[in-house]
Amino acid sequence: MKLEETLQALYDHAVEFVIIGGAAMQLQGSARLTDDLDFCYARNRRNLERLAAALAPFHPRLRNAPEGLPFRFDAPTIERGMNFTLATDLGPLDFLGEVSGLGSYEAVLAASETMNILAMPSRVLSLPGLIKAKLAAGRAKDLEAVRELESLREGREKSGL
Amino acid sequence: MTSDQRKLLWEWFTNPPPGSKTAEARDWGIDLSLLYENLLLSPTERARKLEQGANSLLILRMAGDRHAAKQ
């Protein structure tokens, strides 16, 4: 995982995104490890073009797809799809157009907060947003994660963080 | 983070009140000391930790794959 380079590429191309999933959990204080980066991205045409341009130098391809399968991560492809699990030179990157329990990018953005990460102001899904998303996902591991997220939320509230 | 906030955080995670979600999490087996430590870090420090953890996972996974291939 190359977090700094990934954020820099997205930032340099002014991509509209929110960090979600396991990475957002860790940025909010979770002790759970994750090996990929998940983002929710805005679905407007300008953003699709920016996203495609930001990732182009890092050779995005579909993760776990058969070798040689034709794939081009450009704006029309992104527009036709919704959620992309990619292997890139920056590591595994997932781009979701919507998040269970929250909805579209606009709803995810509304449930996010700005964090200054590696000198880049970045939107990160908030603890209440993560809790909603995990409850909607509903798998055993998600429900277990909710316990941790609820503790973090309480700790932050009680200490005024 | 102020020293008062740090103290409140420490008290909350070392002795969560009965009935709180934090007490439930502790009883479930979640290590609250790790959460406390993480909340003391800045977002950038957490980002660095995230990156290091992910890369350690990758090394472990590759070692597991190599081991499985030898079996």
Side-chain angles (χ1 to χ4, degrees):
Chain A
M1 178 192 289
K2 295 178 181 172
L3 177 63
E4 187 166 8
E5 283 180 62
T6 305
L7 291 181
Q8 191 70 60
L10 298 174
Y11 196 77
D12 288 348
H13 288 79
V15 176
E16 297 170 74
F17 67 92
V18 176
I19 302 172
I20 59 171
M25 282 185 62
Q26 275 198 259
L27 290 168
Q28 294 287 5
S30 165
R32 286 161 180 267
L33 292 178
T34 186
D35 63 351
D36 63 1
L37 286 172
D38 300 337
F39 301 94
C40 181
Y41 65 98
R43 296 274 299 165
N44 63 72
R45 182 72 191 198
R46 189 179 58 182
N47 199 53
L48 304 189
E49 286 166 1
R50 289 174 173 175
L51 177 57
L55 293 193
F58 306 105
H59 309 103
R61 56 256 180 220
L62 289 174
R63 203 153 74 234
N64 302 323
E67 197 68 32
L69 186 78
F71 176 72
R72 181 187 295 214
F73 192 69
D74 56 13
T77 301
I78 304 171
E79 194 162 30
R80 282 193 297 273
M82 178 63 77
N83 300 332
F84 295 88
T85 55
L86 303 173
T88 75
D89 299 348
L90 296 167
L93 303 177
D94 294 353
F95 285 88
L96 278 60
E98 52 191 29
V99 175
S100 305
L102 294 172
S104 65
Y105 172 78
E106 288 70 25
V108 174
L109 181 65
S112 70
E113 59 189 80
T114 301
M115 282 188 185
N116 196 20
I117 301 169
L118 303 155
M120 287 172 274
S122 306
R123 301 296 301 191
V124 178
L125 191 55
S126 65
L127 286 168
L130 282 163
I131 291 167
K132 272 189 187 174
K134 290 289 174 190
L135 285 173
R139 297 166 297 185
K141 67 172 187 173
D142 296 311
L143 299 178
E144 195 182 311
V146 167
R147 292 175 186 274
E148 190 184 37
L149 294 167
E150 291 278 19
S151 304
L152 287 163
R153 189 178 57 78
E154 279 186 341
R156 278 175 61 164
E157 277 175 12
K158 300 297 174 187
S159 62
L161 277 177
Chain B
M1 180 186 295
T2 65
S3 59
D4 280 350
Q5 285 175 320
R6 189 181 175 130
K7 191 178 166 201
L8 285 168
L9 209 54
W10 168 254
E11 285 168 359
W12 182 263
F13 281 117
T14 49
N15 192 20
S20 66
K21 299 280 186 186
T22 308
E24 270 182 39
R26 179 202 54 201
D27 296 343
W28 182 259
I30 289 170
D31 187 343
L32 300 182
S33 68
L34 295 177
L35 306 189
Y36 170 73
E37 284 171 20
N38 285 344
L39 287 177
L40 298 185
L41 302 175
S42 70
T44 290
E45 288 169 326
R46 287 181 216 152
R48 295 280 184 221
K49 198 171 169 181
L50 159 66
E51 209 168 29
Q52 287 164 5
N55 293 331
S56 300
L57 268 183
L58 182 65
I59 290 167
L60 280 174
R61 188 163 294 147
M62 287 164 63
D65 289 347
R66 279 199 302 273
H67 180 74
K70 283 181 189 170
Q71 297 293 305

